[in-house]
Amino acid sequence: MKVKRFKKAAYKTLDKSTLHKFLKEEGYVRGGLAIDLDVTPMTIDRYMNNPQKIKVEHIKRICEETNVDANFIFSLIYEN
């Protein structure tokens, strides 16, 4: 059984990257991402500031939880 721990809630913070903006719009929060990706909240902050550092396994998990294609996530990461 898959445990979905991505927490959704409205929160306001400056967009650190296009990926960060997307996740915020979807309602995902830092703490929930940290739990589900099995990393610290500080690592989530680093990922949102510099999405190119996200591990492929974490991108896969984000795709599964948000129901989007990996190509979409990569377009958010490398858009600039």
Side-chain angles (χ1 to χ4, degrees):
M1 182 166 109
K2 184 177 175 184
V3 177
K4 291 192 175 193
R5 291 180 289 203
F6 271 65
K7 295 179 183 174
K8 287 188 166 189
Y11 74 102
K12 294 179 175 96
T13 185
L14 296 177
D15 296 335
K16 298 175 183 182
S17 63
T18 307
L19 176 63
H20 185 228
K21 181 179 179 180
F22 165 72
L23 291 171
K24 278 178 32 186
E25 288 172 356
E26 291 297 307
Y28 294 104
V29 297
R30 177 178 175 249
L33 289 168
I35 291 168
D36 209 46
L37 299 180
D38 197 28
V39 296
T40 67
M42 293 297 291
T43 299
I44 295 298
D45 289 343
R46 277 186 240 121
Y47 283 174
M48 295 304 108
N49 283 324
N50 190 355
Q52 293 90 353
K53 295 190 180 261
I54 298 175
K55 294 180 179 181
V56 173
E57 66 188 80
H58 294 153
I59 291 171
K60 181 179 181 235
R61 180 69 62 83
I62 290 169
C63 291
E64 291 169 353
E65 294 293 334
T66 58
N67 294 315
V68 298
D69 183 75
N71 290 325
F72 176 75
I73 297 297
F74 281 114
S75 73
L76 296 177
I77 292 171
Y78 292 104
E79 182 180 285
N80 281 332

